[in-house]
Amino acid sequence: MSVQPAMPKSWRVDTKPHKFCPGCGHGLVLKALGQAIDELGIQDRAVFGCDIGCSLLSWDFFNVDTIQTHHGRTTPVITGLKRANPNLIGIAYMGDGGGYAIGSQHLVNAAARNEKITAILVNNTQYGMTGGQMAPTTLPGQKTETTPYGRDPEKTGYPVQGPEMVAAITKEGAYVARGTVANLRQLKNFLKKALENQMAGNGFSFVEVLSACPTNWRTNAQETWKMVEEEMPKYFKVGEIKVPGGQKEGQENG
């Protein structure tokens, strides 16, 4: 007898299995988000906005009000919805290209204004949907379609450390963390805290998630998890970076 995995109640069952590539981390991030939505009981208040890029494949994931935006514009769209109806729980879901490249100005200004929304950014170190080109998060030495000999920081700069940047420009009340698909219990906790921070009206909430793209990384299962669990955290430190009240959760507590 087969055992059926438990899906979050806020998931839209008839759209599963999902459309992401085998091994993609987006499904894990969205499962953790669905569990957080369930535990907080906010399914009827949530508005989920997704970016163009791999993240657009989440447009039919949830039984919540959903809007799919132009590339890089998810943050201002959710900001507008939240300002129009403060009772909503606004969730802006995007990739590293949408958040740190074309959408970086929106992320920076939403953080500076301390907009009371929750932004979730999936970091898989490259542009996934368009074939694996170098992204703002590509690691030094990492090979991509546009850095076949490895990223050279002297020519292209260093990877963006988004949560650290957001933490530096937000005021008190903001919540900022970096989770990973390699630790789903901790990730769900971070996402839940980010949503609770919005519900409390404290300020901007931002969670970056380290994720996998074995299709464009051209990695097998062992190599993929080594990248996520060992290589990425060397540069992108996992843990809470800014918490109202100052009680942070780091890797050693995950």
Side-chain angles (χ1 to χ4, degrees):
M1 182 178 67
S2 63
V3 177
Q4 296 296 320
M7 294 186 183
K9 294 179 180 179
S10 54
W11 269 18
R12 185 177 169 186
V13 177
D14 60 336
T15 64
K16 309 300 179 295
H18 59 65
K19 303 175 182 67
F20 293 103
C21 297
C24 175
H26 273 285
L28 294 171
V29 182
L30 293 162
K31 181 177 182 180
L33 176 59
Q35 291 171 336
I37 291 172
D38 288 353
E39 291 180 13
L40 293 171
I42 57 172
Q43 184 175 348
D44 60 340
R45 295 175 57 195
V47 176
F48 178 84
C50 57
D51 196 22
I52 288 177
C54 292
S55 55
L56 73 82
L57 298 178
S58 63
W59 71 270
D60 61 356
F61 237 79
F62 296 99
N63 275 323
V64 303
D65 289 332
T66 301
I67 183 169
Q68 193 261 306
T69 74
H70 288 299
H71 191 34
R73 315 305 179 205
T74 311
T75 300
V77 168
I78 294 300
T79 294
L81 288 169
K82 179 72 174 186
R83 287 193 172 205
N85 186 348
N87 292 320
L88 297 175
I89 305 299
I91 303 169
Y93 187 78
M94 66 202 78
D96 40 12
Y100 294 150
I102 189 171
S104 60
Q105 74 275 33
H106 298 305
L107 178 63
V108 166
N109 284 287
R113 294 192 306 265
N114 213 25
E115 297 288 352
K116 296 176 178 60
I117 66 170
T118 300
I120 302 167
L121 186 145
V122 179
N123 173 3
N124 58 18
T125 73
Q126 42 81 57
Y127 285 102
M129 180 160 282
T130 53
Q133 297 89 348
M134 187 187 78
T137 52
T138 299
L139 294 169
Q142 183 178 350
K143 294 180 179 180
T144 71
E145 287 295 305
T146 49
T147 57
Y149 301 105
R151 180 176 187 173
D152 182 357
E154 292 298 319
K155 296 179 179 178
T156 61
Y158 286 88
V160 170
Q161 293 185 312
E164 289 80 358
M165 174 185 68
V166 170
I169 62 178
T170 47
K171 300 298 183 183
E172 291 300 320
Y175 177 85
V176 185
R178 181 184 285 114
T180 172
V181 295
N183 190 338
L184 288 181
R185 182 175 296 178
Q186 182 191 63
L187 174 58
K188 185 198 73 174
N189 187 40
F190 289 169
L191 294 173
K192 188 175 178 180
K193 286 184 177 181
L195 292 168
E196 287 175 327
N197 195 55
Q198 179 185 172
M199 294 167 68
N202 292 331
F204 191 65
S205 300
F206 181 69
V207 180
E208 180 185 285
V209 186
L210 304 184
S211 185
C213 183
T215 298
N216 288 314
W217 290 351
R218 296 177 173 84
T219 50
N220 60 29
Q222 182 177 4
E223 295 166 339
T224 298
W225 281 106
K226 181 180 180 182
M227 177 73 168
V228 174
E229 292 183 304
E230 300 179 20
E231 298 303 321
M232 293 176 73
K234 290 178 182 177
Y235 193 88
F236 303 114
K237 302 301 181 183
V238 175
E240 294 182 319
I241 298 169
K242 189 170 189 176
V243 179
Q247 296 297 319
K248 300 177 184 178
E249 178 183 341
Q251 277 183 298
E252 68 277 9
N253 306 116

